[in-house]
Amino acid sequence: MKNRSFVTIAEHSKEKILYLLKMAEEFEQRPNRKILDGKVVATLFFEPSTRTRLSFETAVNRLGGRIIGFSDASTTSSTKGETLKDTILMVSNYADLIVMRHYLEGAARYASEIAPIPIINAGDGANQHPSQTMLDLYSIYKTQGTLENLNIYMVGDLKYGRTVHSLLMAMRHFNPTFHFIAPKELKMPEEYKLYCQQNGIKFVEHEDFNEDVIAGADILYMTRVQKERFTDLMEYERVKDVYILKAEMLRKAKENMRILHPLPRVNEIAYDVDENPHAYYIQQARNGLFARQAIICDVLGITLDEIRL
Ligand code: CP
């Protein structure tokens, strides 16, 4: 059987992405459908999570499947020295699908190569977060009415923020113009800028973040500075509050501009932005439920026609 794992967005075509968005739309209209009856999904979270784990688990519950797993790896036999390989093979004995978050880059790819069941990457280190990308794309599509020709401003930790890496790759199909706004220490890594160059993606880099910069954005994608990825905490302290979005900075924003953030937020969006009509990050997280229902069905080989039955 073809391995239907969902490990990186880079390997998915434009048609496939649009197909998954259609599925998400279908689930938003009716999230409760008993199409996973008899299926068991394992959620293995080796790193903390609120949204990703709970929205995957809600997705399975609303589709009539069952959940096993852990949200704290310290309660598992990995603390006794069990390898990731053995953990994956054991869980494959019990479940039909594994959703895994792991602190090591490449862990999801590795798991997908050894597991007899599909793996969904729920975030691997600073590398990729492809299910977040699907909900980001769905949120962009819902708010802008298109994915094509948009000005997407990514702000904050572009070095360690895996969500911006995945989103950048997915957008290669849609002729975006990216603006990367980061301090020197957290700039978009060279490998992703090279990816842009190789795929004809336009980008500009800035360090300034103010209302004149924001005025050009269709999507303002804020990110948290990823404290857990720093080896030098002094460096984290230096950069953690370098960009803070405040409501007063939105005066010149385009009317339909929307602010996204994968969340959790720490200090990078002031609370006075929450009531602003440009704020969309809470609804964005809700979209995760529908996008993840689509991904789960797809990796299990359930088609759009079948979910419409
Ligand atoms: N966006 C995201 O991955 O959030 P969690 O870490 O809470 O899952």
Side-chain angles (χ1 to χ4, degrees), residues 232-248:
D232 177 356
L233 279 184
M234 294 286 282
E235 184 168 309
Y236 169 74
E237 289 298 325
R238 263 200 311 278
V239 295
K240 68 176 185 181
D241 289 330
V242 68
Y243 302 130
I244 299 176
L245 179 65
K246 301 186 175 122
E248 69 199 31

Side-chain angles (χ1 to χ4, degrees), residues 75-119:
T75 64
T76 73
S77 288
S78 62
T79 57
K80 303 176 202 161
E82 185 158 62
T83 61
L84 179 60
K85 177 179 181 182
D86 286 355
T87 303
I88 293 295
L89 293 178
M90 287 312 105
V91 176
S92 299
N93 283 329
Y94 313 135
D96 300 287
L97 162 67
I98 293 173
V99 177
M100 183 177 80
R101 170 169 289 187
H102 202 280
Y103 48 86
L104 286 179
E105 296 174 21
R109 168 71 60 207
Y110 173 71
S112 75
E113 286 167 359
I114 58 171
I117 61 173
I119 302 289

Side-chain angles (χ1 to χ4, degrees), residues 122-160:
D124 60 327
N127 187 31
Q128 297 276 315
H129 195 349
S131 70
Q132 176 73 41
T133 303
M134 287 311 305
L135 78 92
D136 291 344
L137 292 174
Y138 188 47
S139 300
I140 295 170
Y141 182 74
K142 274 177 68 176
T143 59
Q144 304 299 312
T146 180
L147 292 173
E148 305 282 348
N149 307 319
L150 296 171
N151 295 299
I152 301 184
Y153 287 49
M154 294 175 161
V155 183
D157 186 350
L158 307 188
K159 179 177 179 184
Y160 298 118

